[in-house]
Amino acid sequence: MRDDPTFIDRIQLDLSDVQWPEPQEIRARARRRSRRTVALATVAVLAAVTGPVYALKERTSAPPDAAVPASSQSPARAEIPLDSLLPVTEVPVGSVVPLGEAGLGEAVQLDPTLQRCGDDRGVPAVPAYSRYSRSQTLLSPTKEGRAPARVELSQDVYRLDPLVGARLFTHLGALLDACPDWHSVQSVVAAGETTLNESRHAWETAASNFAGDESILVRHVAFAPDGPPTGRTLQRPTPVGMTVVVRVGDLVTVLEASPDLGLRDADLEALGRVAAGRLCAAANPAC
């Protein structure tokens, strides 16, 4: 193939027909995955054109104080294998493009809006860094003339120090206790005028202790904000967000499914149990 003088020309011709997705589409549907960049969106489109691929790349390390000295690492605490992730066949989606990455010292990411509420309510952030991490994002394939690729499901798996894993669930519980309902005020521009806009968020524990050693299903409702003085709605409400967090040994996984999948609480609990089963072999201690 490399000896074919028309190879580059044909690639350029193919790329000229690509429907490039908007990067904010991916970011909006997977808000905790801030590490996604325009490059990731580009890979997603190429994957949809050339067929399913699994792209892996190393992520940047955590701050020096989050690193684990080599002498303190047990041989059992190894990189997270690919088969620790949910298989596509277990997710109720049609054709998808799977993307993934692996990293060291990755910061554990949950719900940044919930943490903002915690900051207001006296529950400060407790940074948690993993020893190893692996993630996947399932994207609906881009079709010619159709909307950009949509995130159907995202999953992160983190290998954490046991004390860090326990603290993560304790902190999440404290945030949910402090933030059943939260109002925030921000400046918005509407009809050429800047006004104060109040938005409302609500969180609740939909289920707990349904999988693994610890588990929780969090429901997040973001209500449509109203802008004074007319009280008119300034934007559509965000679909109800559901996040599944499961711990098995020293592994913690965070799952977020698109509301468009129409999964009920029982479906997400079942998905959490499948995810817990996939973590068992790689966890310390193993199931």
Side-chain angles (χ1 to χ4, degrees):
M1 182 66 71
R2 284 177 292 183
D3 296 330
D4 183 353
T6 65
F7 176 69
I8 294 178
D9 293 336
R10 287 188 286 109
I11 288 295
Q12 291 176 336
L13 180 61
D14 289 340
L15 288 177
S16 67
D17 296 329
V18 171
Q19 181 76 22
W20 297 101
E22 294 294 334
Q24 59 265 32
E25 174 70 15
I26 294 179
R27 290 196 299 269
R29 300 301 297 273
R31 58 187 181 277
R32 74 173 185 278
R33 306 177 68 82
S34 58
R35 59 182 176 275
R36 299 294 185 197
T37 61
V38 176
L40 173 60
T42 303
V43 173
V45 175
L46 291 177
V49 173
T50 61
V53 299
Y54 208 98
L56 298 175
K57 71 182 184 69
E58 292 300 319
R59 294 181 286 202
T60 56
S61 298
D65 58 356
V68 180
S71 59
S72 67
Q73 295 186 19
S74 165
R77 297 183 181 276
E79 183 180 355
I80 301 168
L82 275 172
D83 58 11
S84 296
L85 297 171
L86 276 172
V88 176
T89 55
E90 294 290 348
V91 183
V93 295
S95 176
V96 292
V97 177
L99 299 176
E101 42 187 359
L104 298 170
E106 180 86 6
V108 178
Q109 300 185 56
L110 295 173
D111 186 336
T113 307
L114 177 58
Q115 184 55 62
R116 285 175 52 207
C117 173
D119 293 338
D120 284 351
R121 303 282 171 84
V123 185
V126 179
Y129 292 95
S130 60
R131 297 173 183 265
Y132 301 91
S133 63
R134 189 173 288 280
S135 70
Q136 69 173 341
T137 302
L138 304 183
L139 298 173
S140 58
T142 301
K143 297 181 180 179
E144 185 177 356
R146 301 291 182 87
R150 181 180 68 237
V151 173
E152 301 288 4
L153 180 136
S154 64
Q155 178 184 18
D156 293 301
V157 179
Y158 305 98
R159 191 181 297 283
L160 303 170
D161 180 277
L163 293 178
V164 175
R167 188 170 66 234
L168 179 68
F169 274 83
T170 299
H171 180 64
L172 180 56
L175 287 173
L176 292 170
D177 289 341
C179 298
D181 191 85
W182 182 57
H183 294 257
S184 65
V185 179
Q186 59 185 342
S187 296
V188 297
V189 178
E193 297 182 358
T194 300
T195 62
L196 292 179
N197 171 58
E198 181 176 338
S199 61
R200 178 189 170 203
H201 297 263
W203 293 270
E204 65 176 348
T205 300
S208 60
N209 298 321
F210 52 86
D213 296 320
E214 292 182 276
S215 55
I216 188 169
L217 173 60
V218 179
R219 180 181 291 112
H220 174 204
V221 180
F223 298 89
D226 293 329
T230 63
R232 66 185 184 278
T233 298
L234 298 181
Q235 64 186 58
R236 293 181 180 180
T238 303
V240 175
M242 303 294 287
T243 302
V244 181
V245 187
V246 178
R247 182 181 69 83
V248 176
D250 64 341
L251 294 178
V252 171
T253 188
V254 181
L255 294 166
E256 188 169 312
S258 166
D260 294 332
L261 291 179
L263 300 182
R264 301 167 299 175
D265 290 4
D267 299 323
L268 292 165
E269 291 176 42
L271 205 60
R273 287 190 288 271
V274 174
R278 303 290 293 191
L279 298 179
C280 276
N284 295 313
C287 299

